[in-house]
Amino acid sequence: MPNAQCPIYETCFFIPVFFCLSLLTGCFGYPRLLSYPFDPGGRSLNSLASELNPQISGRYIVFITDRRGSQDVYMFDTVNRDLVDLPGLNSFDAIANHPSVSQDGRYIVFAASRQGRSAIFLYDRETRQSRNLTNNLQAEVRNPTISADGSRIAFESSNNGQWDVLVYDRFGRPLNIPQEPR
């Protein structure tokens, strides 16, 4: 509302609003809002199901969803604007969570619980195979993340009664990370 003490009130009010709208519309290229369609049939990023733990790398978004009645890993291609087929990844006897994807979308790492035991799994889209990276680790594990090139996986482990960060290569071998900064 204009008043006598601030004749430029209207101008002062509209400048911030215009500036914010300019940022959101992408005049500068970043930041910008992304809008993906809702699909009640579950063939897009958003559906009637729960969509949890989204992670983005490059053009890919991985997330957990219960579209099939269990917690499964799904991947969405933001360039093609569709779901990526992941044959052999999800199983009905596992509860998946916290997925992460390499920059090129080839490797997906995620935590899963089967029969009360947690593990970190790596799925290779090229071979269509999933492998347990922590099979020999007698500890609770959670929250994996994968490097952009897919060569290293970091995750939390409760091996010593506390949560520590471990780093493995994609073949399931622990990497020797120095404990003390040098």
Side-chain angles (χ1 to χ4, degrees):
M1 232 182 221
N3 66 35
Q5 294 174 348
C6 184
I8 60 168
Y9 177 82
E10 288 180 16
T11 306
C12 294
F13 175 74
F14 288 109
I15 289 173
V17 171
F18 174 75
F19 180 71
C20 289
L21 288 175
S22 295
L23 281 175
L24 294 176
T25 58
C27 291
F28 303 108
Y30 184 83
R32 63 188 176 120
L33 295 178
L34 300 176
S35 177
Y36 295 106
F38 172 79
D39 179 9
R43 296 173 302 271
S44 186
L45 182 63
N46 298 309
S47 73
L48 291 172
S50 296
E51 322 295 2
L52 308 168
N53 307 120
Q55 295 289 321
I56 190 167
S57 184
R59 66 190 273 180
Y60 300 102
I61 300 171
V62 290
F63 59 99
I64 300 298
T65 183
D66 61 359
R67 294 176 190 196
R68 296 183 327 147
S70 61
Q71 282 187 216
D72 294 327
V73 178
Y74 277 54
M75 185 160 72
F76 185 78
D77 184 330
T78 61
V79 174
N80 294 333
R81 299 176 68 87
D82 62 2
L83 291 173
V84 176
D85 190 29
L86 303 171
L89 173 62
N90 296 304
S91 63
F92 285 110
D93 68 339
I95 300 171
N97 58 55
H98 293 96
S100 180
V101 62
S102 61
Q103 183 86 21
D104 64 1
R106 177 176 175 180
Y107 299 105
I108 299 172
V109 67
F110 60 98
S113 179
R114 282 191 176 136
Q115 300 173 343
R117 181 155 156 60
S118 66
I120 304 297
F121 290 88
L122 179 74
Y123 177 76
D124 183 341
R125 283 184 50 218
E126 191 172 287
T127 64
R128 297 179 173 194
Q129 302 222 344
S130 193
R131 189 172 72 252
N132 183 344
L133 298 178
T134 57
N135 198 31
N136 296 326
L137 187 62
Q138 298 300 314
E140 198 66 26
V141 293
R142 66 183 186 189
N143 300 327
T145 187
I146 193 165
S147 62
D149 66 359
S151 66
R152 294 173 311 279
I153 295 95
F155 58 93
E156 296 174 39
S157 170
S158 68
N159 197 23
N160 299 322
Q162 68 180 29
W163 289 102
D164 295 318
V165 175
L166 299 180
V167 181
Y168 279 29
D169 66 16
R170 76 169 157 252
F171 305 104
R173 296 182 299 233
L175 297 175
N176 187 14
I177 306 296
Q179 297 294 323
E180 299 289 323
R182 294 181 185 197

